[in-house]
Amino acid sequence: DSGVTQTPKHLITATGQRVTLRCSPRSGDLSVYWYQQSLDQGLQFLIQYYNGEERAKGNILERFSAQQFPDLHSELNLSSLELGDSALYFCASSVSAGGWNEQFFGPGTRLTVL
Amino acid sequence: EDKVVQSPLSLVVHEGDTVTLNCSYEVTNFRSLLWYKQEKKAPTFLFMLTSSGIEKKSGRLSSILDKKELFSILNITATQTGDSAIYLCAAWGGGADGLTFGKGTHLIIQP
């Protein structure tokens, strides 16, 4: 158990819908990272927040957005969902802003778009 | 566009064998290369490499980076069935673009 929690565990929804994935980082960690993992694209970095501010941005679609709240939990919002958005979404956290080597991954949320 | 390529994509060996996994990268302003192990769930961090030629070691696993030839290898000696996993390589350009991951090597260790 990494100490990072993600809810929900599984999510099934229809195309065109909007969903929110939630992540609570480890106690004391200020950075939250979001990743998408699909069979064809592999693991892709989406976005990083550090202490409430966006820090790094990867291959995140415009239909997706994220934020980090004052209590440091983060939410990833996915809208106008398409079949291709079906994937495993991971959240990770670290203490520092550049903590690529010390990030701890949550168990993931499996999103299925029908 | 930053790119990380891993090979082989899949590898099946017998317990006790030694394996070498490869990772090549093309990343603007390269800063670090990272290796992760992913079993059934989330990836777990193995190594971060920033300097050429300095081997990092953890038990039966070791890794080295060649910044001139733009590649890294991950070695696993005396493999065990518990080493079966997907091994992911990722490169960081030091900027605000985050990590670029390879597709992974799926390693299967047969008893």
Side-chain angles (χ1 to χ4, degrees):
Chain A
D1 185 357
S2 67
V4 178
T5 59
Q6 289 186 248
T7 56
K9 196 171 178 180
H10 298 278
L11 192 51
I12 301 174
T13 188
T15 54
Q17 295 298 305
R18 173 189 168 95
V19 297
T20 297
L21 311 184
R22 185 188 167 101
C23 167
S24 292
R26 292 187 322 156
S27 177
D29 284 359
L30 298 178
S31 268
V32 169
Y33 310 76
W34 285 99
Y35 295 87
Q36 180 193 57
Q37 188 171 39
S38 59
L39 282 174
D40 55 338
Q41 294 291 326
L43 189 63
Q44 291 199 85
F45 165 74
L46 296 178
I47 198 163
Q48 177 201 3
Y49 278 83
Y50 175 75
N51 205 20
E53 299 289 326
E54 184 182 303
R55 181 80 179 184
K57 202 166 187 175
N59 297 320
I60 187 165
L61 299 171
E62 284 191 16
R63 299 183 286 109
F64 296 1
S65 64
Q67 54 184 325
Q68 186 179 28
F69 293 87
D71 67 352
L72 301 176
H73 91 271
S74 178
E75 291 180 357
L76 179 67
N77 298 296
L78 315 176
S79 61
S80 302
L81 285 168
E82 302 174 0
L83 295 177
D85 297 327
S86 295
L88 191 52
Y89 290 84
F90 287 110
C91 165
S93 73
S94 70
V95 169
S96 62
W100 300 103
N101 63 320
E102 59 191 30
Q103 55 186 295
F104 295 85
F105 282 75
T109 292
R110 182 166 294 283
L111 173 66
T112 302
V113 182
L114 300 175
Chain B
E1 186 181 327
D2 293 346
K3 189 165 68 171
V4 174
V5 177
Q6 292 186 246
S7 64
L9 290 178
S10 182
L11 184 58
V12 181
V13 300
H14 288 293
E15 208 168 13
D17 288 351
T18 293
V19 297
T20 297
L21 311 183
N22 302 295
C23 174
S24 65
Y25 62 90
E26 293 175 29
V27 172
T28 307
N29 300 319
F30 172 82
R31 295 279 288 273
S32 313
L33 188 129
L34 294 88
W35 284 96
Y36 293 85
K37 177 182 181 182
Q38 184 174 23
E39 296 173 88
K40 289 182 181 176
K41 296 185 177 178
T44 54
F45 170 78
L46 294 175
F47 298 111
M48 184 171 86
L49 303 151
T50 54
S51 302
S52 259
I54 298 174
E55 185 183 54
K56 291 226 173 170
K57 203 168 168 63
S58 175
R60 296 175 294 103
L61 277 67
S62 64
S63 184
I64 198 160
L65 176 67
D66 185 327
K67 289 168 78 172
K68 185 179 175 187
E69 300 297 330
L70 308 183
F71 78 91
S72 173
I73 59 172
L74 175 68
N75 277 318
I76 309 175
T77 59
T79 51
Q80 302 170 358
T81 54
D83 295 326
S84 295
I86 296 173
Y87 289 83
L88 296 165
C89 168
W92 180 40
D97 296 332
L99 289 178
T100 301
F101 281 84
K103 294 279 176 74
T105 293
H106 189 186
L107 176 64
I108 297 171
I109 310 297
Q110 290 183 338

